[in-house]
Amino acid sequence: MKFSRRKVIALGAGVVGLGLAYRGIKGHGIAAHALEVIRDVYGPEIADDPVAHEFAQAYEDFVLEKGTQGQVLDVVYWTGLQDVPFVDERLGRIKDSVVDKFATSTNVILATELGKPLEFVALFDPFLNSCQNQLGAQGYTLA
């Protein structure tokens, strides 16, 4: 089957159009995906908190700083391709990354268990801000 230039352009325009429609309905990029993961793992009350939205934006900036790989990942989420079976299998690590970063960058454990307000200062980075590990500061460990 041979594709003409017009068919390829039309197909590309269709994919972009679907991506724009998906973005309008579902949200956009890595930040929206991070909020979905937070909603699945920690519940809708935590995900709807403005602090979670602040974390999601910081996480998206963190991923985009990775260069081309981060930008490609953002395009994948922006177009809605993360739900394609093969792509979904490859992106499993980012879900784990969101859960780990959220747990170490916020006091989500205290917020869910003791009802304290959710707090976020900065994304935890063991090399840049090792003292801000919220799990370590509260005596929790990842098991």
Side-chain angles (χ1 to χ4, degrees):
M1 179 177 198
K2 188 174 181 180
F3 288 106
S4 68
R5 189 175 299 188
R6 284 186 188 175
K7 287 182 181 178
V8 170
I9 290 171
L11 182 63
V15 167
V16 169
L18 286 173
L20 288 172
Y22 182 84
R23 183 177 185 174
I25 294 168
K26 191 78 169 167
H28 68 281
I30 297 167
H33 177 69
L35 285 173
E36 286 178 24
V37 171
I38 292 168
R39 183 176 313 282
D40 291 344
V41 174
Y42 298 107
E45 292 174 2
I46 296 292
D48 293 338
D49 193 305
V51 174
H53 290 265
E54 184 182 344
F55 165 82
Q57 190 58 53
Y59 186 80
E60 182 174 280
D61 295 341
F62 164 75
V63 172
L64 291 176
E65 287 174 3
K66 300 272 185 205
T68 305
Q69 184 180 9
Q71 293 169 353
V72 168
L73 189 63
D74 191 44
V75 169
V76 166
Y77 286 113
W78 183 78
T79 57
L81 292 175
Q82 75 273 11
D83 295 328
V84 175
F86 176 74
V87 176
D88 185 34
E89 294 170 9
R90 297 279 184 182
L91 298 177
R93 287 181 31 210
I94 196 163
K95 293 176 185 176
D96 295 339
S97 174
V98 169
V99 172
D100 291 346
K101 284 281 189 195
F102 192 68
T104 56
S105 300
T106 66
N107 65 338
V108 68
I109 304 297
L110 292 176
T112 54
E113 290 182 357
L114 302 177
K116 294 191 177 199
L118 189 63
E119 297 173 359
F120 168 70
V121 177
L123 279 180
F124 171 67
D125 183 337
F127 301 107
L128 297 177
N129 55 9
S130 59
C131 295
Q132 290 181 345
N133 181 348
Q134 293 294 318
L135 283 177
Q138 305 303 327
Y140 294 106
T141 58
L142 291 174

